Structure formats: C-alpha cells, structure tokens
Amino acid sequence: MTVNPNWQEIQSALLPGQAAHDCPDLVVHVFHRKLSLLLRHLKSIFGHQVACVHAIEYQKHGLPHAHILLWISAEHQPHSAEDMDKVCSFSVGFHFGLC
C-alpha cells in the first residue's frame, strides 16, 4: 500500500497554496488510518490469520508505503488461482471507500 498525496482526505485538509509535502504529519496520519482499515479488511476477507507482519518504508520524496505479509490458517487458505481471484484483485486507483 502506498500513500497517494491526492487522496481526498489529504487534499481537503490542506490550506490554499499548500501541497501534501508541506504537511508530512497529515500525510502520515491519513496513511496510518487507511493502513489500519486495510489490515482489518484483510482479516475479514481471509478469516483467521496466524500472523501478520508489515513494514513501513518512506520513498525518497517522503511518501510512506507498507509491505504486508499474512500467514493464514490452513482451513482459510485459497488452494487455487481461482480461489485467490475470488478474494483478491488489483485495480489502479482502487478506493476502499475508507475515511
């Protein structure tokens, strides 16, 4: 997950003439809220998780992103590509409707 400085939650909180890089605290706050909601959403999709590890890194221009690794209990694991396609997809510009 990578922060998007054009997220509505960030843009609506900026003062006229400000850019997202002028308010790193705001960017990080929104990112952490969305990351928490994403992790909860993943748990609801995949069921019981044995463990979840995530690492947050900052790109050269200061935007945070997270790498997420989930261990899912055997009974909840997708066992084929078709099973995985039912619970996971990718879309550029996908919006969770969070916040």
Side-chain angles (χ1 to χ4, degrees), residues 6-79:
N6 295 317
W7 280 339
Q8 189 272 331
E9 296 89 340
I10 295 172
Q11 291 298 312
S12 66
L14 296 174
L15 298 174
Q18 280 187 320
H21 66 268
D22 295 326
C23 300
D25 56 330
L26 171 65
V27 171
V28 170
H29 176 76
V30 172
F31 172 76
H32 279 279
R33 277 185 47 201
K34 287 188 177 250
L35 178 60
S36 295
L37 291 170
L38 173 62
L39 293 172
R40 265 191 275 149
H41 185 67
L42 290 173
K43 187 170 188 167
S44 72
I45 290 173
F46 288 110
H48 179 69
Q49 296 174 7
V50 176
C52 176
V53 176
H54 66 274
I56 299 172
E57 298 176 346
Y58 290 83
Q59 300 166 346
K60 288 182 181 178
H61 41 73
L63 297 176
H65 66 275
H67 299 270
I68 303 168
L69 179 61
L70 301 174
W71 283 271
I72 301 167
S73 62
E75 64 269 12
H76 290 96
Q77 289 180 5
H79 295 288

Side-chain angles (χ1 to χ4, degrees), residues 70-92:
L70 301 174
W71 283 271
I72 301 167
S73 62
E75 64 269 12
H76 290 96
Q77 289 180 5
H79 295 288
S80 67
E82 292 79 22
D83 289 343
M84 191 61 177
D85 287 343
K86 291 176 187 173
V87 295
C88 187
S89 66
F90 174 78
S91 174
V92 175

